[in-house]
Amino acid sequence: LAPLTGPAGSVVAFDASPEFMRLTAQRALPPHVSLHTARVDALPLPPAFFDHVVCFNVFPHLTPLPETTRRLTAVLRPRGVFWIAHTRSQTFVNAVHREGPPEIHEHILPGPEELTRLLRDAGLGEIEIEDDAGFFLAHAVRLAPEVASVHPGNHV
């Protein structure tokens, strides 16, 4: 994402796993990328700041999904895009979680109807969902126009 934003923008990356973030920090990342070891509900994120929110191979773990989706939508600027991307299909992701450790048995990637409802309830629209054997991709646009200021530049 860093090349897409360019140095005038920023990429804020976070994960709850200290080990994952330690490995990420070892990569040669440009200065406009900041890494944070934290759960999404623990970060003080500015409202209506980001152009994109990208949940890459993590969405089912952001429990409870309705509250987390609303929180992430709130940090999007109007017309900002919320992305959910997985490198496998919904069926594959859910099978891995159901067969994995007990703490992730309930971490399920919702099907298209339920996910559409979840995204709409969070204030998102223009929802598109694609589920294929090799990937799952959903994106939606923040419709709420309630923003005092929009920051220039690309931020994800």
Side-chain angles (χ1 to χ4, degrees):
L1 296 174
L4 295 175
T5 65
S10 62
V11 175
V12 179
F14 55 93
D15 194 279
S17 166
E19 177 65 11
F20 182 78
M21 294 314 283
R22 185 186 68 72
L23 292 170
T24 304
Q26 293 176 354
R27 300 180 69 190
L29 299 171
H32 66 284
V33 175
S34 63
L35 303 177
H36 305 273
T37 302
R39 286 184 45 91
V40 66
D41 54 3
L43 273 179
L45 299 171
F49 181 76
F50 295 99
D51 297 303
H52 298 270
V53 166
V54 180
C55 301
F56 184 69
N57 285 338
V58 70
F59 189 73
H61 303 291
L62 302 178
T63 60
L65 286 178
E67 288 82 0
T68 305
T69 304
R70 282 193 298 275
R71 176 163 167 67
L72 291 173
T73 298
V75 302
L76 277 172
R77 65 169 176 77
R79 307 294 306 154
V81 183
F82 188 99
W83 296 88
I84 301 167
H86 286 269
T87 54
R88 300 292 187 141
S89 70
Q90 178 213 14
T91 302
F92 184 92
V93 169
N94 290 343
V96 167
H97 292 169
R98 286 187 180 111
E99 296 166 11
E103 59 269 16
I104 66 168
H105 285 178
E106 302 299 318
H107 293 196
I108 299 303
L109 182 58
E113 286 182 26
E114 184 181 346
L115 183 57
T116 296
R117 216 173 11 261
L118 179 73
L119 296 173
R120 283 189 207 274
D121 289 349
L124 297 160
E126 301 178 31
I127 299 163
E128 293 187 30
I129 300 170
E130 190 172 353
D131 189 12
D132 191 87
F135 68 92
F136 179 92
L137 181 64
H139 58 89
V141 175
R142 181 175 181 193
L143 301 177
E146 58 198 59
V147 178
S149 66
V150 176
H151 302 272
N154 293 314
H155 306 278
V156 292

